[in-house]
Amino acid sequence: MKKILTILLLSIFAISVIDASNIVTKQKKPAAISEFEQTIGPIRIVFKTVNCEEVKIKRERQSDMTNTNPFHIPEKVTGPDGNQYTIVGICDRARLSGNFSHCSIPRTVTYIGDNAFEFCDRLSSVSISGDPEISTKAFFGCIKPQIRNL
C-alpha cells in the first residue's frame, strides 16, 4: 500500500512540474529593445515594445505637415533588431497630429488611449478594423471625425 501511495504522489508531483514548465514557456519573452522610431506615412512615430512580438504607439516624434496623404497604421512594423512587431495599441498622450484627413487602424490595435489623436484639425474620418477599446478623449480637440468600424 505504501508503494502505491508513493508512486501516486510522485506521479502527481511530476505532472504538476510538467504543467508549471509549460506555463513558463508559453509566456512571451521581453524584447531586446524598449523603444524605437519609424516613419509611417506623414508621421515619425516612437514605438514602445510590450514584449518580443508586440508594440504600442507611444508618441509622435514629428509630422510632415505638408503631407496630406491618409495615415494608415500597419498591423506590423519591423524593429531595428529585425524582429516583426504587431501593433497592439495607441498609448495615452500619443498625440498623433498630422495634416491627414483620414486614418485607418488595423484589427491588431486593441486600445486607443486618451489624446491618442490630438487637435487633428483636418481629420474627418477614421476606419477601424476590429473592436478596440476607445477612450472617450481619444480624439481630443479633433473636429468630430466620423468613425467607421469595418
Side-chain angles (χ1 to χ4, degrees), residues 9-149:
L9 288 173
L10 285 173
S11 298
I12 292 171
F13 176 73
I15 290 170
S16 66
V17 168
I18 290 169
D19 280 349
S21 67
N22 283 339
I23 291 170
V24 170
T25 57
K26 288 180 184 177
Q27 292 177 347
K28 293 180 181 173
K29 297 177 186 174
I33 53 175
S34 61
E35 291 185 357
F36 62 91
E37 291 185 25
Q38 192 172 101
T39 299
I40 297 179
I43 300 178
R44 183 92 179 145
I45 295 175
V46 176
F47 291 95
K48 176 180 176 41
T49 57
V50 177
N51 54 48
C52 68
E53 298 175 358
E54 300 172 332
V55 293
K56 293 181 180 180
I57 295 175
K58 183 176 179 183
R59 69 178 183 278
E60 174 186 315
R61 173 68 73 199
Q62 79 187 72
S63 280
D64 176 1
M65 295 306 279
T66 63
N67 188 338
T68 58
N69 291 328
F71 176 43
H72 299 289
I73 298 173
E75 287 188 8
K76 293 182 180 270
V77 292
T78 303
D81 56 0
N83 287 345
Q84 285 279 312
Y85 293 92
T86 302
I87 299 174
V88 296
I90 304 173
C91 294
D92 290 343
R93 296 174 298 287
R95 295 185 173 103
L96 302 173
S97 59
N99 201 21
F100 48 89
S101 61
H102 175 75
C103 176
S104 62
I105 299 171
R107 72 183 44 129
T108 57
V109 172
T110 60
Y111 176 74
I112 302 172
D114 286 345
N115 304 87
F117 295 86
E118 184 176 81
F119 296 108
C120 290
D121 298 340
R122 291 182 36 94
L123 184 61
S124 59
S125 67
V126 179
S127 299
I128 301 174
S129 298
D131 189 25
E133 177 184 342
I134 303 174
S135 164
T136 56
K137 295 180 182 178
F139 297 94
F140 182 77
C142 300
I143 304 172
K144 299 196 187 223
Q146 289 185 342
I147 299 173
R148 295 181 319 151
N149 284 9

